[in-house]
Amino acid sequence: DTLWDLAIAEVEKRENPGDDGKHVEVCEKSILFMGNKNGGKTTIILRFLEREEIPKPTLALEYTFGRRTRRHNTPKDIVHLWELGGGTSLLELIRIPITSNNLSSFAVVLVLDLSKPNELWTTMEKLLQVTRNHLNKIFARLEKSNPKVVAEIKQKMQNNLQRDHPDYELVDPFPIPLVIIGSKYDIFHEFDSEIRKIISKTLRFVSHYYGASLVFTGKSEALLLKARALINHLAFGYDKSKSVSVDHNKPLFIPAGLDSLSQIGPPPASDIGKMRANTPLELWKKVFEKTFPPKSFCDLQDTRDPAQDSQYAEYEVDVMRAQKNQ
């Protein structure tokens, strides 16, 4: 037999197993990590994959994958991990990982740097807005060709919040599963208590409004494990933790659907009656940006030429490049 014959036989054996073996479907999921520049996305991914590596700055869009075995002698489930670098400067690249083919098994992890509150809302708003617009375009195309898939995805998101939840009609779930991770808790923990309270309440509201899970993480092993548990749930369907921590003096941990507007309370502002807003989200934004005016920052200014970056050095290519430049 040639190698091709063996390969064909192997595929046929997998697709049409005899009585001796039950056919086990390999489960594939995809997750896109995005968020603040230098916010700790790579560290979270490496920790999830249990890799002892020193994180390097992410260039544009990077890909890696993880595998887990459900039981002995069964195929490994796969999770495709995409990481968008450059903060909000490379948003058009999200079209590459999120396609109509993988939409039903896709999730987003938004990593927000708690140590930079003045960039927090702008980063979050831009990233979620562009992702949502892209998802809506895919949904519109799918509605024509495969409306059943669209209905299933939407139903799955609505199931995050029980129908008898008092906020069922007041929230606007993100179209696909979303986890918000507040990183650099170690620095955030040193902030004044009132500042911590405003940031924590705002992120609780945003997460609840979008039907997302929320977790704060930092350098401590216990916090990294909590973030890892939520990613494991997205990647391999592990059971979601039912524990909840809503005290702003401690790291927050709130799985999707386990918070409520009555527990979060109103936006923390004394002059809230004077503020005009069309939606609750807009009101929270105004209150938040009053305390933390958005910094006019441009991620593009920081985008260095990757050809000069030592981590991408390749001798033959660099010699030819130097010759060409000369």
Side-chain angles (χ1 to χ4, degrees):
D1 283 359
T2 66
L3 192 60
W4 286 114
D5 294 330
L6 293 169
I8 290 164
E10 176 67 26
V11 169
E12 281 177 355
K13 191 173 141 195
R14 284 186 198 171
E15 286 179 351
N16 311 304
D19 300 330
D20 55 331
K22 289 192 171 67
H23 182 55
V24 181
E25 193 75 19
V26 175
C27 183
E28 285 193 42
K29 296 280 182 74
S30 303
I31 302 175
L32 171 65
F33 287 78
M34 55 189 189
N36 289 87
K37 198 173 176 131
N38 305 322
K41 298 181 290 295
T42 310
T43 307
I44 291 166
I45 292 171
L46 290 173
R47 192 69 196 82
F48 165 67
L49 295 171
E50 296 179 358
R51 283 194 206 154
E52 298 295 328
E53 291 172 30
I54 295 163
K56 293 176 183 169
T58 301
L59 177 77
L61 184 69
E62 294 201 358
Y63 169 83
T64 185
F65 66 92
R67 293 192 291 190
R68 289 275 191 285
T69 313
R70 270 179 281 184
R71 289 185 305 282
H72 186 56
N73 277 348
T74 60
K76 290 183 173 177
D77 291 340
I78 300 166
V79 60
H80 305 282
L81 302 170
W82 297 86
E83 183 187 352
L84 180 70
T88 57
S89 65
L90 301 165
L91 282 168
E92 66 279 9
L93 291 178
I94 63 165
R95 296 198 309 264
I96 295 166
I98 309 178
T99 66
S100 53
N101 296 332
N102 63 12
L103 196 61
S104 56
S105 58
F106 211 98
V108 170
V109 173
L110 176 65
V111 181
L112 298 173
D113 187 338
L114 296 173
S115 68
K116 297 176 181 168
N118 298 76
E119 292 177 19
L120 200 141
W121 192 285
T122 317
T123 303
M124 175 186 71
E125 191 174 52
K126 262 192 186 174
L127 289 168
L128 290 182
Q129 222 165 28
V130 171
T131 309
R132 193 167 208 155
N133 291 345
H134 174 60
L135 288 167
N136 287 342
K137 281 178 193 165
I138 298 177
F139 277 128
R141 284 201 300 271
L142 271 178
E143 282 278 11
K144 292 171 187 162
S145 60
N146 200 340
K148 193 177 165 202
V149 172
V150 177
E152 278 173 14
I153 296 170
K154 288 185 175 171
Q155 189 55 50
K156 202 162 71 178
M157 287 313 297
Q158 282 176 329
N159 288 348
N160 268 340
L161 208 60
Q162 301 300 325
R163 278 193 177 277
D164 56 358
H165 194 291
D167 306 334
Y168 190 79
E169 297 293 330
L170 304 170
V171 296
D172 182 18
F174 203 66
I176 57 175
L178 173 67
V179 168
I180 297 177
I181 297 181
S183 65
K184 304 199 182 174
Y185 181 77
D186 318 63
I187 302 169
F188 175 74
H189 186 58
E190 303 298 317
F191 287 1
D192 177 73
S193 170
E194 203 50 42
I195 284 176
R196 285 204 312 270
K197 186 179 177 182
I198 294 170
I199 297 171
S200 296
K201 277 185 80 163
T202 303
L203 285 179
R204 276 180 69 187
F205 172 79
V206 169
S207 300
H208 183 56
Y209 186 75
Y210 285 130
S213 296
L214 175 66
V215 59
F216 283 2
T217 189
K219 287 179 181 169
S220 93
E221 190 65 21
L223 290 184
L224 283 165
L225 281 172
K226 284 197 163 183
R228 198 169 145 219
L230 280 178
I231 299 168
N232 260 320
H233 171 69
L234 293 180
F236 303 115
Y238 287 17
D239 287 344
K240 205 162 43 169
S241 171
K242 289 281 187 280
S243 71
V244 176
S245 170
V246 294
D247 183 355
H248 71 270
N249 292 311
K250 294 176 185 163
L252 297 184
F253 181 79
I254 312 165
L258 297 184
D259 211 343
S260 70
L261 295 175
S262 58
Q263 283 177 293
I264 297 165
S270 51
D271 55 349
I272 199 161
K274 295 176 191 165
M275 292 187 179
R276 292 190 173 276
N278 295 324
T279 63
L281 194 66
E282 203 181 308
L283 182 63
W284 279 87
K285 178 183 176 176
K286 285 188 171 178
V287 171
F288 188 81
E289 291 189 339
K290 195 177 175 199
T291 314
F292 307 105
K295 259 199 338 211
S296 56
F297 67 98
C298 179
D299 286 326
L300 281 170
Q301 292 168 348
D302 303 334
T303 312
R304 289 182 293 280
D305 180 3
Q308 308 301 326
D309 194 324
S310 57
Q311 71 167 313
Y312 302 108
E314 249 180 83
Y315 180 72
E316 286 88 350
V317 177
D318 295 340
V319 167
M320 293 301 286
R321 205 184 154 89
Q323 194 179 322
K324 185 172 183 289
N325 289 343
Q326 196 179 341

